[in-house]
Coordinates of all heavy atoms in Angstrom, one line a residue:
I18 N 231.5 67.0 183.0 CA 230.4 67.3 182.1 C 230.3 66.3 181.0 O 229.2 65.8 180.6 CB 230.5 68.7 181.5 CG1 230.3 69.7 182.6 CG2 229.6 69.0 180.3 CD1 230.4 71.2 182.2
N19 N 231.4 65.8 180.4 CA 231.4 64.8 179.3 C 230.7 63.5 179.8 O 229.9 62.9 179.2 CB 232.8 64.5 178.8 CG 233.2 65.5 177.8 OD1 232.5 66.3 177.3 ND2 234.5 65.6 177.5
I22 N 226.9 63.9 180.2 CA 226.2 63.9 179.0 C 226.2 62.5 178.4 O 225.3 62.0 177.8 CB 226.7 64.9 178.0 CG1 226.3 66.3 178.6 CG2 226.1 64.8 176.6 CD1 226.9 67.5 177.9
Y26 N 223.2 60.5 176.9 CA 223.2 60.1 175.5 C 224.3 59.0 175.3 O 225.4 59.3 174.8 CB 223.5 61.3 174.6 CG 222.4 62.3 174.6 CD1 222.5 63.5 175.2 CD2 221.2 62.0 173.9 CE1 221.5 64.4 175.2 CE2 220.2 62.9 173.8 CZ 220.4 64.2 174.5 OH 219.4 65.1 174.4
E29 N 226.3 58.7 172.1 CA 227.2 59.7 171.7 C 228.6 59.5 172.2 O 228.8 59.1 173.4 CB 226.7 61.1 172.1 CG 225.4 61.5 171.6 CD 225.3 61.6 170.1 OE1 226.3 62.1 169.5 OE2 224.4 61.1 169.5
L31 N 231.3 61.2 173.5 CA 231.7 62.5 173.9 C 233.1 62.4 174.6 O 233.6 63.4 175.0 CB 230.7 63.0 174.9 CG 229.3 63.3 174.3 CD1 228.3 63.8 175.3 CD2 229.4 64.2 173.1
V35 N 236.8 65.5 170.4 CA 236.0 66.5 169.7 C 235.3 67.4 170.7 O 234.6 67.0 171.6 CB 234.9 65.8 168.9 CG1 234.0 66.8 168.2 CG2 235.6 64.9 167.9
P36 N 235.5 68.7 170.6 CA 234.7 69.6 171.5 C 233.3 69.7 171.1 O 232.9 69.3 169.9 CB 235.4 71.0 171.3 CG 236.1 70.9 170.0 CD 236.4 69.4 169.7
F37 N 232.4 70.2 171.9 CA 231.0 70.4 171.5 C 230.5 71.6 172.2 O 231.0 72.1 173.2 CB 230.2 69.1 171.8 CG 230.1 68.7 173.2 CD1 229.1 69.1 174.1 CD2 231.1 67.9 173.8 CE1 229.0 68.7 175.4 CE2 231.0 67.4 175.1 CZ 230.0 67.8 175.9
I38 N 229.4 72.1 171.6 CA 228.7 73.3 172.1 C 227.3 73.0 172.4 O 226.6 72.4 171.6 CB 228.8 74.4 171.1 CG1 230.2 74.8 170.7 CG2 228.1 75.7 171.6 CD1 230.3 75.9 169.6
I39 N 226.9 73.4 173.6 CA 225.5 73.3 174.0 C 224.9 74.7 173.7 O 225.3 75.7 174.2 CB 225.3 73.0 175.5 CG1 225.9 71.6 175.8 CG2 223.8 73.0 175.9 CD1 226.0 71.3 177.3
I40 N 223.9 74.7 172.8 CA 223.3 76.0 172.4 C 221.8 76.0 172.9 O 221.0 75.3 172.4 CB 223.3 76.2 170.9 CG1 224.7 76.0 170.4 CG2 222.7 77.5 170.5 CD1 224.8 76.1 168.9
P41 N 221.5 76.9 173.9 CA 220.1 77.0 174.3 C 219.3 77.8 173.3 O 219.8 78.6 172.5 CB 220.2 77.8 175.6 CG 221.5 78.6 175.5 CD 222.4 77.8 174.6
N42 N 218.0 77.6 173.3 CA 217.1 78.3 172.4 C 216.9 79.8 172.8 O 216.7 80.6 171.9 CB 215.8 77.6 172.3 CG 214.9 78.2 171.3 OD1 215.3 78.4 170.1 ND2 213.7 78.5 171.7
C48 N 225.1 86.2 172.1 CA 225.9 85.0 172.4 C 225.4 83.8 171.7 O 226.2 83.0 171.1 CB 225.9 84.8 173.9 SG 226.3 86.2 174.9
I49 N 224.1 83.6 171.6 CA 223.5 82.5 170.9 C 223.7 82.6 169.4 O 224.0 81.7 168.8 CB 222.0 82.4 171.3 CG1 221.9 82.0 172.8 CG2 221.3 81.4 170.4 CD1 220.5 82.0 173.3
S50 N 223.6 83.9 168.9 CA 223.9 84.1 167.5 C 225.3 83.7 167.1 O 225.5 83.1 166.1 CB 223.6 85.5 167.1 OG 222.3 85.9 167.2
S51 N 226.3 84.0 168.0 CA 227.6 83.6 167.7 C 227.8 82.1 167.6 O 228.5 81.6 166.8 CB 228.6 84.1 168.8 OG 228.6 85.5 168.8
A52 N 227.1 81.4 168.6 CA 227.2 79.9 168.6 C 226.5 79.4 167.3 O 226.9 78.4 166.7 CB 226.6 79.4 169.9
E53 N 225.3 80.0 167.0 CA 224.6 79.5 165.8 C 225.4 79.7 164.5 O 225.4 78.9 163.6 CB 223.2 80.2 165.7 CG 222.3 79.7 166.8 CD 221.0 80.5 166.9 OE1 220.9 81.6 166.4 OE2 220.0 80.0 167.5
N54 N 226.2 80.8 164.5 CA 227.0 81.0 163.3 C 228.1 79.9 163.2 O 228.4 79.5 162.1 CB 227.7 82.4 163.4 CG 226.7 83.5 163.1 OD1 225.6 83.3 162.5 ND2 227.0 84.7 163.6
L55 N 228.6 79.5 164.4 CA 229.6 78.4 164.4 C 228.9 77.1 163.9 O 229.5 76.4 163.1 CB 230.1 78.2 165.8 CG 231.1 79.2 166.3 CD1 231.4 78.9 167.8 CD2 232.4 79.1 165.5
L56 N 227.7 76.9 164.3 CA 226.9 75.7 163.9 C 226.8 75.7 162.3 O 227.0 74.7 161.7 CB 225.6 75.7 164.5 CG 224.7 74.5 164.2 CD1 223.9 74.1 165.4 CD2 223.7 74.8 163.1
I57 N 226.4 76.8 161.8 CA 226.2 76.9 160.3 C 227.6 76.7 159.6 O 227.6 76.0 158.6 CB 225.6 78.3 160.0 CG1 224.1 78.3 160.4 CG2 225.7 78.5 158.4 CD1 223.5 79.7 160.4
K58 N 228.6 77.3 160.2 CA 229.9 77.1 159.6 C 230.5 75.7 159.6 O 231.1 75.2 158.7 CB 230.9 78.1 160.2 CG 232.3 78.1 159.7 CD 233.2 79.2 160.3 CE 234.6 79.2 159.7 NZ 235.4 80.2 160.3
Y59 N 230.3 75.0 160.8 CA 230.9 73.7 161.0 C 229.9 72.6 160.9 O 230.2 71.5 161.3 CB 231.6 73.7 162.3 CG 232.8 74.6 162.3 CD1 232.8 75.8 163.1 CD2 233.9 74.4 161.6 CE1 233.9 76.7 163.1 CE2 235.0 75.2 161.6 CZ 235.0 76.4 162.4 OH 236.0 77.2 162.4
R60 N 228.7 72.8 160.4 CA 227.7 71.7 160.4 C 228.3 70.6 159.4 O 228.9 71.0 158.4 CB 226.3 72.1 159.9 CG 226.3 72.8 158.6 CD 224.9 73.3 158.2 NE 225.0 74.1 157.0 CZ 224.1 75.0 156.7 NH1 223.1 75.2 157.4 NH2 224.3 75.6 155.6
C64 N 234.8 67.5 163.5 CA 235.7 68.1 164.5 C 234.9 68.8 165.7 O 235.5 69.2 166.6 CB 236.5 69.2 163.8 SG 237.6 68.6 162.6
I65 N 233.6 68.9 165.6 CA 232.8 69.5 166.6 C 231.4 69.0 166.6 O 230.9 68.7 165.5 CB 232.9 71.1 166.5 CG1 232.2 71.7 167.7 CG2 232.3 71.5 165.2 CD1 232.5 73.2 167.8
N66 N 230.8 68.9 167.8 CA 229.4 68.6 167.9 C 228.6 69.7 168.5 O 229.1 70.5 169.2 CB 229.2 67.3 168.7 CG 229.7 66.1 168.0 OD1 229.6 65.9 166.8 ND2 230.3 65.2 168.8
F67 N 227.3 69.7 168.1 CA 226.4 70.8 168.6 C 225.2 70.1 169.3 O 224.6 69.2 168.7 CB 225.9 71.7 167.5 CG 227.1 72.4 166.8 CD1 227.7 71.9 165.8 CD2 227.5 73.7 167.3 CE1 228.8 72.6 165.2 CE2 228.5 74.4 166.7 CZ 229.2 73.8 165.6
Y68 N 224.8 70.6 170.4 CA 223.6 70.1 171.1 C 222.7 71.3 171.3 O 223.0 72.3 172.0 CB 224.0 69.5 172.5 CG 224.7 68.2 172.3 CD1 226.1 68.2 172.1 CD2 224.0 67.0 172.4 CE1 226.8 67.0 171.9 CE2 224.7 65.8 172.2 CZ 226.1 65.8 171.9 OH 226.7 64.7 171.8
L69 N 221.5 71.2 170.7 CA 220.5 72.3 170.7 C 219.5 71.9 171.8 O 218.9 70.9 171.8 CB 219.8 72.4 169.4 CG 220.7 72.6 168.2 CD1 220.0 72.5 166.9 CD2 221.5 73.9 168.3
T70 N 219.4 72.8 172.8 CA 218.5 72.5 173.9 C 217.5 73.6 174.1 O 217.6 74.7 173.6 CB 219.4 72.3 175.2 OG1 218.5 71.9 176.3 CG2 220.0 73.6 175.6
R71 N 216.4 73.2 174.7 CA 215.2 74.1 175.0 C 214.6 74.6 173.7 O 214.2 75.8 173.7 CB 215.6 75.3 175.9 CG 216.1 74.8 177.3 CD 216.4 75.9 178.2 NE 216.8 75.3 179.5 CZ 217.6 75.9 180.3 NH1 218.2 77.0 180.0 NH2 218.0 75.3 181.4
L82 N 217.9 78.2 161.1 CA 219.3 77.6 160.8 C 219.4 76.7 159.6 O 220.4 76.2 159.3 CB 219.7 76.7 162.0 CG 219.8 77.4 163.4 CD1 220.1 76.5 164.5 CD2 220.9 78.5 163.3
N91 N 226.6 65.8 163.3 CA 227.2 66.5 164.5 C 226.3 67.5 165.1 O 226.7 68.2 166.0 CB 228.5 67.2 164.0 CG 228.2 68.3 163.1 OD1 227.3 68.4 162.3 ND2 229.1 69.3 163.2
I92 N 225.0 67.4 164.8 CA 224.0 68.3 165.4 C 222.9 67.4 166.1 O 222.3 66.6 165.4 CB 223.3 69.2 164.4 CG1 224.4 70.1 163.8 CG2 222.3 70.1 165.1 CD1 223.9 71.0 162.6
V93 N 222.7 67.6 167.4 CA 221.8 66.7 168.2 C 220.7 67.7 168.8 O 221.1 68.7 169.4 CB 222.5 65.9 169.3 CG1 221.5 65.2 170.1 CG2 223.5 65.0 168.6
L94 N 219.5 67.3 168.7 CA 218.4 68.1 169.3 C 218.1 67.4 170.7 O 217.8 66.3 170.8 CB 217.2 68.0 168.4 CG 215.9 68.8 169.0 CD1 216.2 70.3 169.1 CD2 214.8 68.6 168.1
D95 N 218.3 68.2 171.7 CA 218.0 67.7 173.1 C 216.5 68.0 173.4 O 216.1 68.9 174.0 CB 218.9 68.5 174.1 CG 218.6 68.1 175.5 OD1 218.1 67.0 175.8 OD2 218.8 69.0 176.4
L100 N 219.9 68.3 179.0 CA 221.2 68.9 179.1 C 221.1 70.1 180.1 O 222.2 70.5 180.6 CB 221.7 69.4 177.8 CG 222.1 68.4 176.8 CD1 222.5 69.0 175.5 CD2 223.2 67.5 177.3
V103 N 223.2 69.5 183.4 CA 224.7 69.3 183.5 C 225.3 70.5 184.2 O 226.5 70.7 184.1 CB 225.3 69.0 182.2 CG1 224.9 67.7 181.7 CG2 225.1 70.1 181.2
V105 N 225.2 73.9 183.8 CA 225.6 75.1 183.0 C 224.4 76.0 183.1 O 223.3 75.6 183.4 CB 226.0 74.7 181.6 CG1 227.3 73.9 181.5 CG2 224.9 74.1 180.8
F108 N 221.6 80.1 180.0 CA 221.4 81.4 179.4 C 222.4 81.6 178.3 O 222.1 82.4 177.4 CB 221.5 82.4 180.5 CG 221.1 83.8 180.1 CD1 219.7 84.1 179.9 CD2 222.0 84.8 179.8 CE1 219.3 85.4 179.5 CE2 221.6 86.1 179.4 CZ 220.2 86.3 179.3
Y109 N 223.6 81.1 178.4 CA 224.7 81.3 177.5 C 225.0 79.9 176.8 O 225.0 78.9 177.5 CB 225.9 81.8 178.1 CG 225.7 83.1 178.8 CD1 225.8 83.2 180.2 CD2 225.6 84.3 178.1 CE1 225.6 84.4 180.8 CE2 225.4 85.5 178.7 CZ 225.4 85.6 180.1 OH 225.3 86.8 180.7
P110 N 225.4 79.9 175.6 CA 226.0 78.7 175.0 C 227.3 78.3 175.7 O 228.0 79.2 176.2 CB 226.3 79.1 173.5 CG 225.5 80.4 173.3 CD 225.4 81.0 174.6
V111 N 227.6 77.0 175.8 CA 228.7 76.6 176.5 C 229.6 75.7 175.5 O 229.0 74.8 174.9 CB 228.3 75.7 177.7 CG1 229.6 75.2 178.4 CG2 227.5 76.5 178.7
I112 N 230.9 76.0 175.5 CA 231.8 75.2 174.7 C 232.5 74.3 175.7 O 233.0 74.7 176.7 CB 232.9 76.1 174.1 CG1 232.3 77.1 173.1 CG2 233.9 75.2 173.3 CD1 233.2 78.2 172.7
I113 N 232.5 73.0 175.4 CA 233.1 72.0 176.2 C 234.2 71.2 175.4 O 233.9 70.7 174.4 CB 232.0 71.0 176.8 CG1 230.9 71.8 177.5 CG2 232.7 70.0 177.7 CD1 229.7 71.0 177.9
Y114 N 235.4 71.3 175.9 CA 236.5 70.7 175.3 C 236.7 69.3 175.8 O 236.2 68.9 176.8 CB 237.8 71.5 175.5 CG 237.7 72.9 174.8 CD1 237.3 74.0 175.5 CD2 238.2 73.0 173.5 CE1 237.2 75.2 174.8 CE2 238.2 74.2 172.9 CZ 237.7 75.3 173.5 OH 237.7 76.5 172.8
P115 N 237.5 68.5 175.0 CA 237.7 67.1 175.4 C 238.4 66.9 176.7 O 238.2 65.9 177.4 CB 238.6 66.5 174.3 CG 238.3 67.4 173.1 CD 238.0 68.7 173.7
S118 N 237.4 71.0 180.1 CA 237.3 72.4 180.4 C 236.1 73.0 179.6 O 235.8 72.4 178.6 CB 238.6 73.1 180.0 OG 238.8 73.0 178.6
Y119 N 235.5 74.0 180.1 CA 234.4 74.6 179.4 C 234.3 76.1 179.7 O 234.8 76.6 180.7 CB 233.1 73.9 179.8 CG 232.7 74.0 181.3 CD1 231.8 75.0 181.7 CD2 233.2 73.1 182.2 CE1 231.4 75.1 183.0 CE2 232.8 73.2 183.5 CZ 231.9 74.2 183.9 OH 231.6 74.3 185.3
F120 N 233.7 76.7 178.7 CA 233.7 78.2 178.7 C 232.3 78.6 178.1 O 231.9 78.1 177.1 CB 234.8 78.8 177.9 CG 236.1 78.4 178.3 CD1 236.8 77.3 177.7 CD2 236.8 79.1 179.4 CE1 238.0 76.9 178.2 CE2 238.0 78.7 179.8 CZ 238.7 77.6 179.2
E121 N 231.7 79.5 178.8 CA 230.4 80.1 178.2 C 230.8 81.1 177.2 O 231.8 81.9 177.3 CB 229.6 80.8 179.3 CG 229.0 79.8 180.3 CD 228.1 80.4 181.3 OE1 228.3 81.6 181.7 OE2 227.2 79.8 181.8
I122 N 230.0 81.2 176.1 CA 230.1 82.3 175.2 C 229.2 83.4 175.8 O 228.0 83.3 175.7 CB 229.6 81.8 173.8 CG1 230.4 80.7 173.3 CG2 229.6 83.0 172.8 CD1 229.8 80.1 172.0
S123 N 229.9 84.3 176.4 CA 229.2 85.4 177.1 C 229.9 86.7 177.0 O 231.1 86.7 176.6 CB 229.0 84.9 178.6 OG 230.3 85.0 179.2
A129 N 235.8 83.5 173.6 CA 235.5 82.0 173.6 C 235.4 81.5 172.2 O 235.9 80.4 171.9 CB 234.3 81.7 174.4
V130 N 234.7 82.2 171.3 CA 234.5 81.8 170.0 C 235.8 81.8 169.2 O 236.1 80.8 168.5 CB 233.4 82.6 169.2 CG1 233.3 82.3 167.8 CG2 232.1 82.4 169.9
N131 N 236.6 82.8 169.3 CA 237.8 82.9 168.6 C 238.8 81.8 169.1 O 239.5 81.2 168.3 CB 238.5 84.3 168.8 CG 237.7 85.4 168.1 OD1 237.0 85.1 167.2 ND2 237.8 86.6 168.7
E132 N 238.8 81.5 170.4 CA 239.7 80.5 170.9 C 239.2 79.1 170.4 O 240.1 78.3 170.1 CB 239.7 80.5 172.4 CG 240.4 81.7 172.9 CD 240.5 81.8 174.5 OE1 240.0 80.9 175.1 OE2 240.9 82.9 175.0
L133 N 237.9 78.9 170.3 CA 237.5 77.6 169.7 C 237.9 77.5 168.3 O 238.3 76.4 167.8 CB 235.9 77.5 169.9 CG 235.3 76.3 169.2 CD1 235.8 75.0 169.9 CD2 233.8 76.4 169.2
E134 N 237.7 78.5 167.5 CA 238.1 78.5 166.1 C 239.6 78.2 165.9 O 240.0 77.4 165.1 CB 237.6 79.7 165.3 CG 236.1 79.8 165.2 CD 235.6 80.6 164.1 OE1 235.5 81.9 164.3 OE2 235.4 80.1 163.0
Y136 N 241.4 76.6 168.1 CA 241.6 75.2 168.5 C 241.2 74.3 167.3 O 241.9 73.3 167.0 CB 240.7 74.9 169.7 CG 240.6 73.4 170.1 CD1 241.5 73.0 171.1 CD2 239.7 72.5 169.6 CE1 241.5 71.6 171.5 CE2 239.7 71.2 169.9 CZ 240.6 70.8 170.9 OH 240.6 69.5 171.3
L137 N 240.1 74.6 166.7 CA 239.7 73.7 165.5 C 240.6 73.8 164.4 O 240.9 72.8 163.8 CB 238.3 74.1 165.1 CG 237.1 73.9 166.1 CD1 235.8 74.5 165.6 CD2 237.0 72.4 166.3

Side-chain angles (χ1 to χ4, degrees):
I18 289 179
N19 279 346
I22 295 173
Y26 293 105
E29 299 299 319
L31 299 177
V35 179
F37 60 95
I38 301 179
I39 299 172
I40 305 175
N42 185 51
C48 308
I49 292 172
S50 293
S51 295
E53 289 171 342
N54 289 338
L55 286 171
L56 180 144
I57 290 168
K58 183 175 181 178
Y59 295 109
R60 63 183 169 200
C64 298
I65 187 167
N66 290 322
F67 298 90
Y68 290 83
L69 305 173
T70 188
R71 298 185 179 146
L82 299 176
N91 69 329
I92 300 172
V93 176
L94 180 63
D95 177 26
L100 291 178
V103 295
V105 293
F108 190 74
Y109 300 110
V111 178
I112 300 168
I113 303 171
Y114 291 92
S118 61
Y119 62 95
F120 302 94
E121 289 184 333
I122 300 173
S123 71
V130 171
N131 293 334
E132 289 178 11
L133 174 64
E134 291 201 277
Y136 175 92
L137 293 173

